[in-house]
Amino acid sequence: MKKKMLLLNTTVLLGLGGVLSTPAYASTIQDMESQKSQIQNQRQDVQSNIKAASDELTRLQAEQDQMKAQLERLTIAEEENNKKAQKTEADIKETSKQVEELEKEIKLLQEKLEKRNDILKDRARSLQESGGNVEYLQVLLGSSSFSDFVDRALAVSTIVDADRGILKETKNMQDELKTKQADVKSKLASLEDMKAELDEMTVQLAAQKKQKDALAKELKDKEAKNEELKASLQAKDSSLANEQSTLEQNIKDQKAAEEEARKAAEQAAKEAAEQAQKADFSSAKAEAPKASSNDVAPTSAPAPKASNVVTVGNRWIGNSAYVFGGGRSQSDINHGLFDCSSFVHWAYSQVGVNLGPLGSVSTETLKHAGTQVSSSQMQPGDLVFFDTYKKDGHVGIYVGGGKFIGAQSSTGVAIANMSSGYWKQKFNGRVVRI
C-alpha cells in the first residue's frame, strides 16, 4: 500500500512539475524580459542623447547671450560714432562757410583799398599844376608864392597822412583776416582728419556688426536644430517608454496566467490524489514568483587678476567696442567702450602707472609720456605707434612675438599682428617705453 502511495505521489509531482515547466511560458517570459532589457538600454542611450542635447542648448544659449551683449555694445558704439560724425560734418560745413565769408571780406577790402588809392591819386593830381604824374615834391616846388607853397604843403601833408592811415588800417585788417583764415583752415583740416577716422571706423563697425549678426543667426539655427533633435529624442523615449510599459504589462499578465495554471495543476493533483488514495492530500503551495525589476536607475551627471600691463586688457577681448573719444568716463569703462589712447591709459592705470589726466589723453600726449627707444629693442609693455588716418594716429601695447594689444576700430580691444599685413604697413617705427 505504501509503495502504491509513493508511486502515486511521484506521478502527481512529476505531472505538476511538467505543468509548471511548460516551455511556452518560460520562453515567452524570457523573450519579453530580454526585449524589456533591450528597450531599457535604448532608453538609456536616448536619455543620454537628450541630456547631451540639453547641455548643448545651454552652451549655445550662453554663447548667444554673450553675442547679444557684444552686439548691444557695438550698437551703442555705432550710435555714438555716428553722432560724432554728424557733428563733425556740421562743424566742417560751418567752418567752410566762415572761410568763404572771410575770403569775400578780404576781396572787398582789396577793392576798397584800390578805390581809396585812386581817390588819393586824383587828389594829388588836382594839386599838380602840370596835370601830369608829378610827385608830391614837384607839387610843392610848383608853388607860385610862399603862401601858395604853405597851402600846398598843408594839402600834401593831409593827403599823405590820409593815404598812410588808410593803407595802414587796410593792411592791418587784411593781415588779421589772413590770420583768421589760416586758423579756420587749420581747424578745418583737423576736423577733416577726425571725419576721415570716423568714416573709416563706421565702415569697419558696420562690417563687424554684419559678421556678428551672421554669427547670431548661425547660433539661432543651431539652437533650433538642437531643439528639434531634442524633441525627436523625447518622442522616441516616450515611444520606448510605452513599449516598455506594454511589455511589463504583458509579462505581468503572463505571470498571472502562469500562476493560475499552477494553481489549476495543484488542484488537479489534489483531486487525483483524493480519488486514488481516498484520503486527504495536501499539495504544496507553489511560491509566487518574485517579480524582478530590471529597471536601471537613472544616472545623474556629476554633480582677472591681471599680472602686468601686457595681459591686463585681455578681459576686454570680445567684450568691448571702439568709440572715438570713449573710455574717458567710468560709465564708458564699465561698458568696455574705449578708443586706442584711453585703453592704453586704462591698462597702465591697472598696474599703478598714471599717464596723465584721463580727459586729455591722446596719441600725441602718449608719444611724449616716456622714453623713445629703437624698434629693434622694443619689449613687451612698450607703446607702439601707427600712421593710420594721420601720423601717430593709432597706439597700442606691444605684447611680444610681433603682436600688440589695443582698442582697434574694427574689433574693439584685440590682439593684432604688426609683423605682417595691414599693421606692418602702418607701423611707423615709433616705440615709447614707459
Side-chain angles (χ1 to χ4, degrees), residues 312-336:
V312 70
N314 290 350
R315 58 171 290 196
W316 294 116
I317 296 176
N319 297 298
S320 59
Y322 185 99
V323 173
F324 186 82
R328 287 164 177 79
S329 69
Q330 193 58 48
S331 176
D332 280 358
I333 293 173
N334 291 343
H335 290 86

Side-chain angles (χ1 to χ4, degrees), residues 68-86:
K68 287 180 180 178
Q70 179 66 357
L71 286 173
E72 288 176 1
R73 279 189 290 270
L74 289 173
T75 300
I76 294 172
E78 188 176 25
E79 290 175 354
E80 291 299 320
N81 290 327
N82 284 334
K83 288 179 182 178
K84 287 182 175 64
Q86 291 171 2

Side-chain angles (χ1 to χ4, degrees), residues 7 78 163 167 191 217 227 230 341 369 386 400 413 416 428-429:
L7 179 60
E78 188 176 25
D163 192 5
L167 289 172
L191 289 172
K217 183 179 182 302
E227 285 283 7
K230 183 179 177 182
S341 53
F386 305 85
V413 176
N428 62 16

Side-chain angles (χ1 to χ4, degrees), residues 189-259:
S190 175
L191 289 172
E192 288 176 345
D193 284 344
M194 291 171 61
K195 185 176 184 304
E197 183 178 22
L198 285 169
D199 287 344
E200 179 183 2
M201 180 177 56
T202 300
V203 170
Q204 292 173 340
L205 282 175
Q208 185 186 35
K209 186 177 185 301
K210 183 177 179 181
Q211 180 183 9
K212 297 295 184 183
D213 287 342
L215 184 55
K217 183 179 182 302
E218 181 182 355
L219 286 172
K220 187 175 181 180
D221 291 343
K222 286 183 178 179
E223 184 177 11
K225 289 180 180 179
N226 215 43
E227 285 283 7
E228 183 179 353
L229 174 61
K230 183 179 177 182
S232 174
L233 290 171
Q234 288 175 334
K236 177 66 174 176
D237 181 64
S238 177
S239 175
L240 289 172
N242 291 335
E243 190 174 345
Q244 178 179 336
S245 177
T246 300
L247 276 172
E248 289 174 346
Q249 183 62 43
N250 290 341
I251 291 172
K252 182 179 179 181
D253 293 343
Q254 189 70 19
K255 288 184 176 180
E258 183 180 354
E259 181 66 18

Side-chain angles (χ1 to χ4, degrees), residues 332-398:
D332 280 358
I333 293 173
N334 291 343
H335 290 86
L337 305 177
F338 296 97
D339 64 11
C340 61
S341 53
S342 65
F343 171 74
V344 169
H345 187 284
W346 173 85
Y348 270 93
S349 71
Q350 299 305 295
V351 294
V353 178
N354 186 354
L355 296 182
L358 177 60
S360 59
V361 65
S362 66
T363 54
E364 190 67 22
T365 63
L366 290 176
K367 75 180 184 182
H368 299 296
T371 304
Q372 304 280 334
V373 298
S374 170
S375 60
S376 62
Q377 299 176 340
M378 61 182 173
Q379 301 173 359
D382 291 344
L383 303 187
V384 287
F385 291 79
F386 305 85
D387 292 343
T388 51
Y389 72 102
K390 67 176 182 179
K391 185 172 181 59
D392 298 319
H394 189 70
V395 63
I397 302 172
Y398 186 64

Side-chain angles (χ1 to χ4, degrees), residues 29-30 32-34 36-37 40 244 248 251-252 255 288-296:
I29 293 176
Q30 184 178 358
M32 288 189 292
E33 290 285 4
S34 177
K36 177 182 174 183
S37 178
Q40 288 175 332
Q244 178 179 336
E248 289 174 346
I251 291 172
K252 182 179 179 181
K255 288 184 176 180
K290 296 181 180 179
S292 60
S293 174
N294 293 325
D295 291 343
V296 179

